[in-house]
Amino acid sequence: MFHGASNVTRIIPSSLPNLSTYSRFVQRLRRRYANELHLLPEGAPVLATMQTCFKALRQTHNCADSLRMLRQLVMERLVVLDCEQGASLDVITRAVTKLGEFTLDIAFREAQAQLDVSFGSPTTPSGERAVLWIIGMGKFGARELNVSSDIDLIYVYDEDGDTTGLPDGRGRISNHDYFAKAVKLIYALIGDTTDHGFVFRMDLALRPNGNSGPSVVSRQALEEYFLVQGREWERFAWLKSRVVAPFSAKAHAFELRDTILPFVFRRYLDYSVFESLRGLHQQIRKHSASRSAGRPERANDVKLSRGGIREIEFTVQLLQVVRGGHFPELRTRPTLAALQRLSQANLMPAATADALAKAYVFLRQVEHRIQYLDDQQTHVLPTNDDDLNWMALTLGFGDTCDFLSQLDSHRELVAQEFDRLLGLGDKTEPNSNSNGNNNGDCKGCTPKHDYVDLASLLPDLNPRLRERVMHWCELPRIRALRDDSVQRLLKLLQRTNAWIDAGRVSEEAAVRWTDWMEPLLRRESYLALLIERPRVHEQLMRLLGMARWPAKYLQQHPGVIDELAGEALLAERFVPEEFEQELERRLASLQSTGQADEETLLNLLRRAHHAEVFRTLARDVEGRITVEQVADDLSALADCLLKITSRWVWQHFKQRHRDEPQFAILAYGKLGGKELGYGSDLDIVFVYEDAHERAGEIYAAYVRKLINWLTVKTGDGDLYEIDTALRPNGNSGLLVSTFDAYADYQGQRGENTAWTWEHQAMTRARFCLGAPELKARFDSVRANVINAKRDLAALRQEIVTMRDKMRAAHPLKPDLFDVKHSAGGMVDVEFAVQYLVLAHAEQHPDLLANVGNIALLLSAEISGLLPSGVGAAAGSAYRELRRVQHRARLDEQPTQVPTVELEKECAAIQALWRCVFGTT
């Protein structure tokens, strides 16, 4: 006997021979086709072996009988492979799928040959032969057919027109009529039941307008249907669609892409589909319950019952449809592949994805064994003890109890994950549908009344919230909302009001939330998102309540609020490698569907940037990371985006003359010092080193294109403002220069040479990205510039004069202190450090490193350039001033504060200034 399996996702091969002989289906096949079984070559059935077998059968049988006999031989082989040899689920489902594709291809060719004799060939207005696409839906499209699946098909042809007719002028019909006749012939060849059974049960119910619609439609008619009548549940059906036959039409399948993809995947995060899926799922459960009424054994349906296969598929498809518009890497058909991608995209915990994958494989293998028994299209566990025991044995279990226990465990996990995703059965957030009002749920509050409109809700709102939203009753955008969206808005206001009463959010946060929400009221997807994700709603209000600037950012990029749904958001940090890998996965997905055009990539980069900035912002406002960590993460993000964008631009650059550009980006200013803030521009310089005769022209065009990719505003905003004023000769110089010209300019060689302020800027410069050999050369140039012999008195005077000019340009009242420009402010620290580096780095090499002002002050103190304690105190003061400035900007407050609040910090920095420059 067998022992319980610890990992049931892979069948444990049985030591008992001939387990397949228990199947009553197999018994019938072996009796009926004993003389034909050898015609199917050994091993797992694949296209080549099916073709060989079919060819042999056609020697003695007509096409219809040969197709049916092929099907029976394939099924007998699959039972053996599955139950006796431990074949993987993929081997079984791909074999059945390939059988479907092959038989449809044969049937189409037979139908076409027959129809062409009577009507000629169908043609398009351009005179070419019209193309018919046979589209496989559901499991067929995903290459996941089970062994007794029907096949869900939709027939679409490319263009209307007429057939050529016969030479004598007779037989001319429309393309639509031609293909409608083809559909009937295909059905007869595959779906009719004869003495040899059928090949596949065929279902056309998913076609436009269902069973009341025509059996075949043109591509234009399909597109019009999507635009006018396409329903939410149909998006789930089309998610797995694929052209499966005829083989000759697959080369043209890309022509359907632009029709189907926009219907399935929306440009925004589409949470409105949650309610549609709930309704569809409730219909399925009601149907399952009605089928099992009086027949309790039917409640054990491994596909449709609670925790069944369908709930895994719905869980996966829901996340794909909601986010697939933004995240193209999620656009994959197979369920197991989609689970893996959801985990990689951090949309599902890895442990959950793994558990659902194991459950899916197990349930599919159980489903197959149910169907192996009698070749019936059923998913209900048998009640016969011997049948159950056989199923347990073929799955490697010692007895039926172990098998059923494992089955229950998987189904319970699936049900819990599905209910959690759809918010079903949550005791803490009651579903108002449960008491029959069918208006959705409030998820986070228990409504006291059913409100029909905003006016009826106003009297029960918090006074300040009521005052803020009172005028909404008259807003055209409110009046234009659909009834379901009005109900969502009322529920959000109820929930917000309940949270104010409970002390979970402040009145100020609620008012700021309404300020943010008002311009977005016509974008109903955000109402749906907040209803479906109470956590996002509450986190959003907390964020808005803590600072004003986030509201402005969220107004520009509202889609990023979905980032708040992730529980790990606040605990994580930006990881450049993961960010780059994620974007490359999205690029690969777009390329696989032919959608990697420039506009799509520009928006892809922008959405990824905005989402990552928002993640940093959320951690910042919540106090999870310091000001320095904010700057580190934003600087690393900019580095990463410059790297990715420069690579993608080069790949799309028509004048590309080599695989990798021989150029570099040099970072200055806040980017160079890794002190970027929100909305900072990028101070960068472009250089190249390439012997190509047209290198100057090529790299100038490349850099212009790169800057355009970074700065152009699309529907999703922009990335960065770019400042190239620090290039040789400033704005009057070349946009990109050779590295030698850059080195000569910085090294004071030739007529055009760098100014002192440009040498100060060099102290914060660093090599950002580019050809590796250029990095060493840049580091050498930077060291030479910083270590050059200087008149220290003249240098000191130039810097003091520059600082005085800057301070004079920012006057303020006597009792106020400007954290950046006042004496004892941040600029004083930055100028003092720049002087110390330019004056003493040659004697003290530690000062050469671009490690930030605070670390350099400590190095200067350790080197004896500053009295003991002065550098450390100034560094601490500088950190506090950065914090004050940062918080003021987040809350859109002035960075000029009462002098008494920062006296200690001001004194510490003035002490540094006196030590370095001797004056204040």
Side-chain angles (χ1 to χ4, degrees), residues 691-702:
H692 191 279
E693 59 183 6
R694 294 177 50 244
E697 174 188 339
I698 291 171
Y699 285 102
Y702 169 54

Side-chain angles (χ1 to χ4, degrees), residues 131-254:
V131 174
L132 176 70
W133 293 293
I134 304 177
I135 301 172
M137 308 292 281
K139 288 185 170 64
F140 197 7
R143 299 182 175 88
E144 297 172 333
L145 281 180
N146 64 50
V147 293
S148 194
S149 280
D150 57 2
I151 51 177
D152 294 300
L153 302 176
I154 295 178
Y155 295 90
V156 180
Y157 60 93
D158 58 349
E159 290 187 76
D160 284 315
D162 297 308
T163 63
T164 56
L166 302 179
D168 60 6
R170 293 181 299 110
R172 189 172 183 182
I173 60 175
S174 69
N175 287 354
H176 181 274
D177 288 345
Y178 176 96
F179 289 122
K181 293 177 184 295
V183 169
K184 291 180 179 179
L185 292 174
I186 291 169
Y187 183 89
L189 281 168
I190 294 177
D192 282 350
T193 301
T194 71
D195 289 344
H196 294 284
F198 55 83
V199 187
F200 284 98
R201 305 174 188 89
M202 303 173 72
D203 191 341
L204 306 186
L206 292 176
R207 68 187 186 271
N209 294 304
N211 291 328
S212 63
S215 61
V216 59
V217 297
S218 68
R219 182 177 61 177
Q220 182 178 349
L222 177 66
E223 186 168 345
E224 290 174 356
Y225 175 82
F226 284 159
L227 289 173
V228 178
Q229 301 181 60
R231 291 159 289 182
E232 294 292 347
W233 68 263
E234 290 180 289
R235 295 170 60 196
F236 293 94
W238 282 91
L239 171 65
K240 292 190 174 188
S241 64
R242 178 175 62 90
V243 174
V244 295
F247 294 159
S248 60
K250 289 189 176 183
H252 304 280
F254 70 92

Side-chain angles (χ1 to χ4, degrees), residues 724-855:
T724 60
L726 286 168
R727 67 186 187 269
N729 296 306
N731 290 328
S732 63
L734 296 173
L735 186 59
V736 56
S737 59
T738 66
F739 190 87
D740 286 342
Y742 169 81
D744 288 344
Y745 180 82
Q746 297 293 344
Q748 309 288 345
R749 296 187 294 271
E751 296 180 1
N752 296 314
T753 58
W755 296 74
T756 298
W757 64 267
E758 291 177 286
H759 289 176
Q760 288 177 251
M762 185 65 87
T763 64
R764 304 181 72 190
R766 62 183 173 87
F767 189 88
C768 183
L769 66 90
E773 57 270 24
L774 291 180
K775 182 180 186 307
R777 294 178 64 186
F778 168 77
D779 290 342
S780 176
V781 168
R782 178 177 179 273
N784 290 338
V785 168
I786 291 174
N787 292 334
K789 298 293 184 183
R790 289 180 174 84
D791 181 334
L792 297 188
L795 174 64
R796 188 183 298 115
Q797 186 57 50
E798 282 191 64
I799 292 177
V800 169
T801 300
M802 196 180 306
R803 180 256 216 174
D804 290 343
K805 288 181 179 179
M806 291 182 66
R807 188 183 303 167
H810 295 84
L812 70 163
K813 296 178 181 179
D815 57 343
L816 291 180
F817 176 78
D818 186 315
V819 296
K820 181 175 183 180
H821 294 289
S822 289
M826 293 167 61
V827 171
D828 285 5
V829 173
E830 293 163 0
F831 277 12
V833 169
Q834 290 165 12
Y835 172 82
L836 289 170
V837 171
L838 291 174
H840 303 292
E842 185 176 20
Q843 295 77 28
H844 303 281
D846 287 348
L847 294 176
L848 191 60
N850 186 353
V851 291
N853 292 315
I854 296 173

